[in-house]
């Protein structure tokens, strides 16, 4: 049976991009694959959270996963820092990961540009840790958004390199996965670019409906179409992209037609979009509080997840250690 793995950094609440790129695709695979889902708290360290924030964010994200439909009876749900085998594989993979290829990744270059005072080694080797997360369970499919495409390519390169160097096919080459085939990029509401935690433009899964309405109503648009069948500007196209994800096709077509005939009123479109987002997220928001406050449940889920994840990871590491030549005396 093929293995599916996905994870999300615990740097804050989950947003619609995380849900559409990773969580939703994962939830739909749970019945038919061997599934692992984890909270990437080590990955969150690149931004230097306080100890209180570190733990608090893991709890929030854990409750959001469960509220989104990740079922711990079907999937192994665990916290990255509770599975030390990941770090051992990260160290070993680092020995065959080269400065040039790590420096060339788009996400690294972007981080350097945005935050030149915090170019730490953890940022540089972020894709190696991500590869370790995936390879430690020998995952085949990895539900991710478009922003992770290049990291997945590196994970394949590291897997291939390892298999070649040690002469055994220990690791499958993991594929980025999305149900619609094309990986998705959910845009932000600020006109350009993707929705992201560090971009400050997120629609969060557990946002209050009032907050969602306010955010959507203040989304960037333009002065309106001036001639029939014009191609929408990026900010307007972004609203249509989000609408495609949460509204029914008839609604999207209605506003597309209005756009094509220059009769669209962005205020009406935003009102509709806000209501559709509120509806779309309602089932998640309804379950969240109860799960978040259930200490015993969260304890049980993470304990069982940790045990199963460590069992799977330890089996891989036995092979890897043998191939490296580690032996007891
Ligand atoms: P991160 O929040 O960077 O830890 O990302 C966790 C997962 O969410 C990864 O699979 C990302 O590809 C996905 N993701 C993050 N932002 C977006 C977005 N705007 N659109 C689609 N997927 C996203």
């Amino acid at each position: 049976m093929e293995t599916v793995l996905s994870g999300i950094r615990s740097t804050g609440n989950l947003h619609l991009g995380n849900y559409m790129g990773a969580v939703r695709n994962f939830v739909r695979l749970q019945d038919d694959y061997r599934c692992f889902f984890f909270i990437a708290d080590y990955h969150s360290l690149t931004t230097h959270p306080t100890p209180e924030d570190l733990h608090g964010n893991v709890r929030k994200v854990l409750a959001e996963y469960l509220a989104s439909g990740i079922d711990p009876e079907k999937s192994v749900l665990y916290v990255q820092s509770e599975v030390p085998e990941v770090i051992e594989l990260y160290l070993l993979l680092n020995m065959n990961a080269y400065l040039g290829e790590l420096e060339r990744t788009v996400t690294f270059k972007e981080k350097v540009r945005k935050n030149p005072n915090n170019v730490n080694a953890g940022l540089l080797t972020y894709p190696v840790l991500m590869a370790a997360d995936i390879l430690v369970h020998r995952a085949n499919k990895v539900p991710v958004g478009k922003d992770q495409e290049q990291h997945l390519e590196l994970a394949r390169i590291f897997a291939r390199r390892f298999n070649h160097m040690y002469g055994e096919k220990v690791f499958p080459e993991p594929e980025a996965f999305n149900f619609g085939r094309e990986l998705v990029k959910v845009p932000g509401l600020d006109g350009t670019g993707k929705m992201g935690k560090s971009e400050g433009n997120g629609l969060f899964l557990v946002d209050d409906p009032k907050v969602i309405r306010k955010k959507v109503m203040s989304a960037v648009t333009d002065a309106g179409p001036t001639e029939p069948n014009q191609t929408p500007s990026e900010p307007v196209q972004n609203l249509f992209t989000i609408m495609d994800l949460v509204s029914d096709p008839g609604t999207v077509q209605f506003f597309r037609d209005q756009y094509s005939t220059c009769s669209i009123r962005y205020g009406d479109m935003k009102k509709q979009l806000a209501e559709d987002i509120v509806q779309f997220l309602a089932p998640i928001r309804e379950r969240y509080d109860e799960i978040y406050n259930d200490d015993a449940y969260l304890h049980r889920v993470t304990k069982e997840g940790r045990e199963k994840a460590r069992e799977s990871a330890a089996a891989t590491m036995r092979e890897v250690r043998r191939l490296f030549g580690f032996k007891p005396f």
Side-chain angles (χ1 to χ4, degrees):
M1 184 187 271
E2 284 200 316
T3 299
V4 177
L5 172 133
S6 202
I8 292 186
R9 274 178 309 155
S10 51
T11 38
N13 290 97
L14 297 192
H15 53 73
L16 195 65
N18 296 136
Y19 184 76
M20 291 299 181
V23 181
R24 186 171 73 153
N25 286 298
F26 183 87
V27 166
R28 289 162 71 183
L29 293 167
Q30 284 184 117
D31 286 317
D32 303 315
Y33 293 86
R34 176 176 175 255
C35 284
F36 293 89
F37 208 109
F38 70 99
I39 297 168
D41 54 346
Y42 279 138
H43 282 284
S44 80
L45 297 180
T46 57
T47 57
H48 306 151
T50 64
E52 296 76 36
D53 282 351
L54 182 74
H55 184 71
N57 281 338
V58 170
R59 188 184 185 108
K60 273 197 279 193
V61 173
L62 179 62
E64 284 169 341
Y65 279 167
L66 291 161
S68 299
I70 290 179
D71 180 350
E73 302 291 320
K74 296 177 183 165
S75 297
V76 179
L77 176 53
Y78 65 97
V79 181
Q80 185 186 36
S81 62
E82 295 188 351
V83 180
E85 288 79 4
V86 171
I87 295 307
E88 189 184 3
L89 184 56
Y90 167 59
L91 177 98
L92 299 178
L93 291 175
N94 264 325
M95 303 307 155
N96 297 311
Y98 294 97
L99 185 61
E101 63 194 348
L102 296 174
E103 276 178 334
R104 275 195 299 277
T105 55
V106 175
T107 41
F108 178 70
K109 287 198 273 197
E110 212 168 87
K111 292 260 154 67
V112 172
R113 188 174 55 76
K114 281 193 186 153
N115 217 341
N117 298 324
N118 182 26
V119 186
N120 60 63
L123 271 181
L124 181 73
T125 56
Y126 192 103
V128 187
L129 182 53
M130 185 167 153
D133 289 323
I134 299 166
L135 300 181
V136 88
H137 299 297
R138 308 189 215 203
N140 310 89
K141 279 190 170 58
V142 188
V144 283
K146 194 154 181 56
D147 57 320
Q148 295 296 331
E149 208 165 26
Q150 199 180 16
H151 288 167
L152 253 294
E153 177 58 27
L154 273 175
R156 281 194 289 278
I157 290 172
F158 298 147
R160 209 175 303 145
R161 193 173 287 160
F162 184 98
N163 292 344
H164 180 73
M165 284 177 76
Y166 294 99
E168 279 187 34
K169 198 167 180 303
V170 178
F171 299 122
E173 291 183 23
E175 291 294 332
F177 179 82
N178 184 68
F179 264 98
R181 287 186 166 271
E182 277 288 294
L183 301 186
V184 296
K185 176 181 132 185
V186 178
L189 297 168
D190 46 357
T192 100
K194 69 159 188 164
M195 184 176 291
K197 286 169 198 150
S198 34
E199 283 74 1
N201 60 5
L203 282 164
F204 298 109
L205 302 191
V206 294
D207 269 347
D208 190 83
K210 272 194 240 136
V211 174
I212 291 179
R213 289 187 189 108
K214 198 164 163 225
K215 286 181 180 174
V216 176
M217 291 316 286
S218 52
V220 175
T221 51
D222 57 22
T226 49
E227 51 191 77
N229 303 319
Q230 204 176 309
T231 307
S233 63
E234 189 180 353
V236 174
Q237 181 49 50
N238 287 350
L239 292 185
F240 276 117
T241 302
I242 299 177
M243 207 174 215
D244 272 329
L245 295 167
V246 298
S247 305
D248 69 66
T251 304
V252 186
Q253 195 55 48
F254 174 80
F255 286 103
R256 281 203 190 278
D257 290 346
Q258 287 207 327
Y259 187 87
S260 301
T261 54
C262 303
S263 58
I264 193 160
R265 285 159 46 146
Y266 291 140
D268 293 347
M269 180 184 176
K270 286 178 177 178
K271 262 194 206 135
Q272 179 70 47
L273 179 60
E275 292 319 308
D276 289 346
I277 294 171
V278 167
Q279 280 248 324
F280 184 83
L281 297 179
I284 299 176
R285 208 173 34 248
E286 276 160 18
R287 285 194 292 262
Y288 174 77
D289 281 338
E290 195 186 327
I291 296 173
Y292 181 86
N293 290 309
D294 193 339
D295 288 341
Y297 179 59
L298 296 181
H299 177 77
R300 196 177 76 236
V301 166
T302 47
K303 179 171 178 290
E304 284 170 11
R306 170 173 67 238
E307 286 165 3
K308 289 185 206 154
R310 287 203 69 181
E311 197 183 314
S312 155
T316 304
M317 290 316 294
R318 275 194 294 278
E319 288 288 286
V320 170
R321 289 179 67 87
R322 176 180 65 78
L323 289 168
F324 259 83
F326 292 110
K327 278 186 200 162
F329 284 96

